[in-house]
Amino acid sequence: MKPFRLNRHHKPVFPASVFVDLDFSTIRDLDHLDAIIHRDFEVKAPTGSDIAQRASDGLYTDRYQLLRDLGLHLFWANRFALTMYDKRPTRWSDVARRRDDVFVPLLRPWQDRSEKVEAVEWSFHRLPARWDETMENQLFNLLFDVLSNKLYHAAELPALKPTVSEALATGGTTTVLSDYDPDYPRFGVDEILDASAPQPELEALQRWAMVVHNQHPWDRSHAELKSVGDLGDDDVVVVFHPKNRDVLDFIQRARSNGTEPATPTGASSAVETVAVVPTATALKPVPPMVVGQRTDRRATIEALAVRRGEVTYSNADVVRNAPPSWSPMSADEITTKTGIEQRRYTAEPLEQIALEAARSALEHAGRQPHDIGAVLFCSCTSTRLIPSTATWISGELGIAQTNASADIIAACAGFPYGMAQALRLLDDVNRPVLLVMAEKFSDKIGNARPSRMIFGDGAAAMVISPAAVSRGSGSRGSGGRGSSSADLRNGPGFDVEVVQTYASGPSSEVNSIIWPNPDFDNDITVYGPEVKALVRRYLDQMISELGGLDGVRTSRHQSGVTATTFASRLLDDIDVIVPHQANRTMIVDIAEAQGVPVDKLYFNIERVGNVSAASIPMAIADAVHDGVISERSLIFAPGFGAGAVGGYVVCWIEPSMIAPESGTRGDAAYPVPTDGHADASAVAAASADNDRPELVGVR
């Protein structure tokens, strides 16, 4: 888990963006590690020679471009120290000689360092600032101090360092410090996370610069490379210690495989060769469940309640939290690519927001816990296994017993999967079913940029009842729905017309979204082309099926006279299409190609992001709030996503079904917990240390 926290400026920040903490328990071998390092550090980073050459050739057009390259280079130059080791300056006489968990980095001097450093400095002072000259100057001073005193050639760094005894046996040079001051100023964690700048790109670069500074917390002008064999007892040597037990276990595992510790590893792919599984010819699809033609499963939707994340995370916030592994992308470019302007996060546990939505739905439906016959929970981000979230919610609500309480993992098709199972249970229990859909992505998206741009947190809950039971028992609270809508297709209370679900397909589509993914430090990862392929395949199948279903009878009041008409196709009868809110740009493009009436599509993704299983019910609620659904309306709600799952629901929605939300929808609707967040006075005290390197926006 890699949660966000609110800094002293009340901005959400992700410590994992700059404090690199790979889970070495999931890294198989050096090839796997090398692929991760290559992707996260080397692909984007120029060498020192590259930067000097670009500067000499006049390829930088402003200071920010050069600053960004410096930050990327210095992260790359410290790639193994950041991911695997703690640097500990130690008197040579005090360094253990025979331990297997103390290492001496052997370094090759950086050739032509002075000339390359001078070219960078000369170029920077001749370039214009992009946004803030004062701040960009201070960022340069911080980064350039590290670069200009970097002594080693960064391209030849091995992941495995020699032990002290190995270094003494093989020889080589390592870093020695004169006049070492253990109190040399460095930035604290809170100072780094509290960094602030009006320009998101500069704020991200501040954090990079502060982290890089902390990698060399000594007077760098007094550092030198010295032969291990010439070290004296009073020389202060920078020795490396594994960050944690998992790193040490990995080192020992890799060394036991015969890897030479002093040999640099080459970049290679960590992806194992996987045999391509041929996709069998599909059997004739199971037809959709046409609920409106069956008397045993007719259902009414008594209530729909939503619980949004209380923290707004804008595209500018995404940029502010950019790690060095990302290509540059502005807030506007994120909007253009995804259709998302912000997403909502929560500091609460997933179970808690699910429970809040469930309670709100029961209250709005006028139901007591003992009325509920089954509880279904749909999510792909739950980490609870025992007890399941559905059973936990059942207990927290005080339900003495259900016929079934179970979790369903159907990702972005959670709504149609949950609705299909709820309808089957209605036939068995003849009592209302509580369907809860919730996701918390904010602590699982890590540093994979597509995931960080797209996903949000939120919960929704619905009370679904057998139609006859709904009309005979229970009462809706204030705002309850009536049965005299001007649109009475299929009769009052018969709210669900059609349900369909699918799964599987080509293995590339089944694995198009993965969590946990060890190749991305167990973060959620999205493979865009494969996702587009499954969305296109399923939308084509859905539209084909709907086109083959008869329309539903429509009774409309026209000038006081009731006119009865019959639509030729169910698809023609749809009032609003509320798709899973995956990526607005992608869905519109595919829908247009499939002949879907784009003017009927409703999106709220720009405000809440992709909330997977909860996205469709949250969008339905917003369609009501926005007045898109102002009377009883027939909606088509297609869902599709991870695991190559898909499905849709065609159902009636009345505005009175939607439970009121506390607070303002556009702002924080719930108070933000402060547990675990730094005390403001402590942060201020830490920032008051005048010995720390000065940086605009930190104080």
Side-chain angles (χ1 to χ4, degrees):
M1 301 299 175
K2 299 175 182 176
F4 71 91
R5 55 173 284 183
L6 295 182
N7 65 14
R8 68 174 181 175
H9 307 290
H10 306 291
K11 289 286 188 181
V13 292
F14 282 86
S17 293
V18 287
F19 300 125
V20 184
D21 188 19
L22 299 180
D23 182 0
F24 273 80
S25 68
T26 67
I27 300 177
R28 298 183 295 274
D29 51 32
L30 279 174
D31 285 342
H32 188 183
L33 173 63
D34 219 33
I36 294 171
I37 294 297
H38 178 70
R39 181 193 66 224
D40 290 349
F41 292 88
E42 294 179 354
V43 170
K44 304 293 191 303
T47 66
S49 299
D50 291 336
I51 296 174
Q53 190 63 52
R54 293 173 189 177
S56 298
D57 293 345
L59 298 182
Y60 294 112
T61 59
D62 61 46
R63 290 180 173 182
Y64 174 73
Q65 290 179 338
L66 176 55
L67 288 170
R68 191 175 191 280
D69 269 3
L70 289 177
L72 292 171
H73 170 75
L74 293 172
F75 258 82
W76 169 68
N78 288 275
R79 55 195 179 275
F80 295 118
L82 285 164
T83 55
M84 299 179 67
Y85 301 101
D86 289 327
K87 297 177 179 178
R88 300 183 190 175
T90 309
R91 291 178 70 249
W92 184 238
S93 61
D94 296 331
V95 175
R97 299 299 196 265
R98 291 183 294 277
R99 284 177 54 174
D100 64 357
D101 61 347
V102 180
F103 304 96
V104 177
L106 298 180
L107 306 167
R108 185 167 74 83
W110 185 15
Q111 298 297 317
D112 303 321
R113 177 169 65 92
S114 297
E115 293 85 347
K116 294 169 182 174
V117 166
E118 288 175 6
V120 171
E121 184 175 26
W122 178 89
S123 177
F124 179 81
H125 291 299
R126 284 159 178 76
L127 290 171
R130 180 181 291 191
W131 292 297
D132 185 324
E133 183 173 6
T134 301
M135 186 170 199
E136 290 173 32
N137 282 339
Q138 292 208 13
L139 285 168
F140 178 75
N141 291 338
L142 199 59
L143 291 168
F144 185 72
D145 186 55
V146 178
L147 177 79
S148 62
N149 291 291
K150 184 171 74 70
L151 304 175
Y152 58 91
H153 189 60
E156 298 181 5
L157 297 178
L160 302 186
K161 313 299 182 183
T163 63
V164 178
S165 60
E166 289 170 341
L168 288 169
T170 61
T173 59
T174 194
T175 304
V176 175
L177 309 175
S178 60
D179 299 326
Y180 172 65
D181 178 7
D183 290 326
Y184 188 85
R186 56 183 293 154
F187 294 103
V189 170
D190 286 333
E191 286 181 288
I192 295 172
L193 298 181
D194 288 338
S196 178
Q199 192 63 36
E201 288 84 352
L202 290 182
E203 183 173 313
L205 190 56
Q206 281 187 74
R207 296 195 177 96
W208 297 9
M210 296 162 86
V211 168
V212 165
H213 165 86
N214 283 358
Q215 281 296 305
H216 308 273
W218 49 74
D219 186 338
R220 299 165 196 120
S221 65
H222 290 172
E224 62 175 319
L225 293 182
K226 191 172 184 179
S227 172
V228 174
D230 295 335
L231 293 174
D233 286 348
D234 290 331
D235 283 329
V236 177
V237 181
V238 180
V239 294
F240 282 18
H241 293 250
K243 282 183 176 291
N244 52 52
R245 182 72 217 183
D246 286 337
V247 173
L248 179 58
D249 288 346
F250 172 83
I251 292 171
Q252 293 174 339
R253 188 166 68 248
R255 291 168 68 90
S256 68
N257 291 334
T259 304
E260 291 293 335
T263 303
T265 57
S268 61
S269 174
V271 180
E272 297 178 346
T273 301
V274 179
V276 177
V277 179
T279 302
T281 302
L283 298 175
K284 183 178 180 181
V286 175
M289 183 194 304
V290 183
V291 185
Q293 297 176 0
R294 303 177 56 161
T295 59
D296 56 341
R297 288 181 183 167
R298 285 185 173 176
T300 186
I301 300 170
E302 292 191 355
L304 191 166
V306 165
R307 200 303 200 176
R308 299 167 205 280
E310 70 278 356
V311 176
T312 299
Y313 191 73
S314 69
N315 288 347
D317 292 322
V318 174
V319 177
R320 294 177 200 282
N321 283 280
S325 59
W326 289 6
S327 298
M329 180 175 282
S330 69
D332 290 341
E333 288 171 334
I334 295 173
T335 300
T336 300
K337 187 175 182 65
T338 66
I340 301 170
E341 297 177 4
Q342 65 181 39
R343 63 284 305 136
R344 303 294 285 268
Y345 290 157
T346 182
E348 296 283 358
L350 173 67
E351 297 91 341
Q352 183 61 36
I353 63 171
L355 180 62
E356 290 176 18
R359 284 176 170 153
S360 180
L362 288 181
E363 179 181 359
H364 190 64
R367 293 290 185 180
Q368 298 299 315
H370 62 257
D371 292 327
I372 301 302
V375 177
L376 298 174
F377 178 71
C378 300
S379 177
C380 62
T381 54
S382 175
T383 57
R384 177 185 290 276
L385 296 178
I386 304 175
S388 70
T389 304
T391 55
W392 181 85
I393 290 174
S394 302
E396 291 297 308
L397 290 175
I399 302 174
Q401 189 176 68
T402 65
N403 177 261
S405 292
D407 292 359
I408 300 173
I409 304 175
C412 304
F415 176 59
Y417 266 73
M419 183 67 77
Q421 189 59 32
L423 293 174
R424 295 183 182 102
L425 284 168
L426 287 181
D427 192 30
D428 293 335
V429 303
N430 199 33
R431 293 162 61 192
V433 173
L434 177 62
L435 173 60
V436 186
M437 298 145 284
E439 304 286 6
K440 182 171 181 177
F441 284 98
S442 58
D443 58 354
K444 304 171 185 71
I445 48 184
N447 289 336
R449 188 176 70 174
S451 304
R452 184 77 67 80
M453 291 192 302
I454 293 172
F455 291 117
D457 303 342
M462 303 177 78
V463 177
I464 305 163
S465 301
V469 173
S470 172
R471 293 310 172 213
S473 64
S475 61
R476 191 174 308 282
S478 61
R481 56 187 281 220
S483 58
S484 59
S485 171
D487 219 356
L488 298 178
R489 307 177 201 178
N490 204 24
F494 298 158
D495 293 331
V496 184
E497 294 284 355
V498 181
V499 175
Q500 176 66 298
T501 57
Y502 321 108
S504 199
S507 60
S508 61
E509 294 180 15
V510 172
N511 295 289
S512 59
I513 305 174
I514 301 175
W515 178 69
N517 187 348
D519 286 336
F520 283 80
D521 200 36
N522 287 334
D523 299 333
I524 291 175
T525 50
V526 179
Y527 300 95
E530 289 76 13
V531 172
K532 286 184 180 179
L534 77 89
V535 173
R536 186 176 293 108
R537 174 167 63 90
Y538 278 147
L539 272 180
D540 182 56
Q541 185 171 352
M542 293 174 188
I543 298 304
S544 176
E545 288 181 358
L546 288 184
L549 294 176
D550 292 336
V552 292
R553 188 173 65 180
T554 305
S555 298
R556 297 184 186 276
H557 292 286
Q558 300 173 344
S559 302
V561 178
T562 299
T564 301
T565 62
F566 292 87
S568 60
R569 299 187 308 164
L570 181 60
L571 184 61
D572 299 327
D573 241 358
I574 301 298
D575 297 312
V576 183
I577 301 172
V578 185
H580 162 55
Q581 308 289 299
N583 178 314
R584 180 172 186 150
T585 304
M586 176 187 72
I587 291 175
V588 168
D589 289 346
I590 294 175
E592 285 181 330
Q594 301 288 353
V596 176
V598 176
D599 59 333
K600 290 187 177 182
L601 287 167
Y602 173 80
F603 293 93
N604 70 340
I605 190 173
E606 71 278 1
R607 286 170 282 173
V608 298
N610 177 343
V611 201
S612 195
S615 79
I616 290 175
M618 290 179 70
I620 292 172
D622 275 352
V624 171
H625 287 304
D626 292 344
V628 175
I629 299 176
S630 59
E631 60 179 359
R632 182 170 169 82
S633 302
L634 188 65
I635 72 163
F636 166 47
F640 26 74
V645 296
Y648 58 88
V649 176
V650 177
C651 64
W652 297 93
I653 295 295
E654 293 184 26
S656 59
M657 295 174 179
I658 310 303
E661 294 182 58
S662 59
T664 304
R665 288 196 306 127
D667 301 316
Y670 297 83
V672 179
T674 57
D675 292 347
H677 295 155
D679 179 73
S681 60
V683 172
S687 299
D689 187 347
N690 293 326
D691 290 334
R692 300 193 186 281
E694 185 174 359
L695 195 62
V696 171
V698 176
R699 288 179 158 66

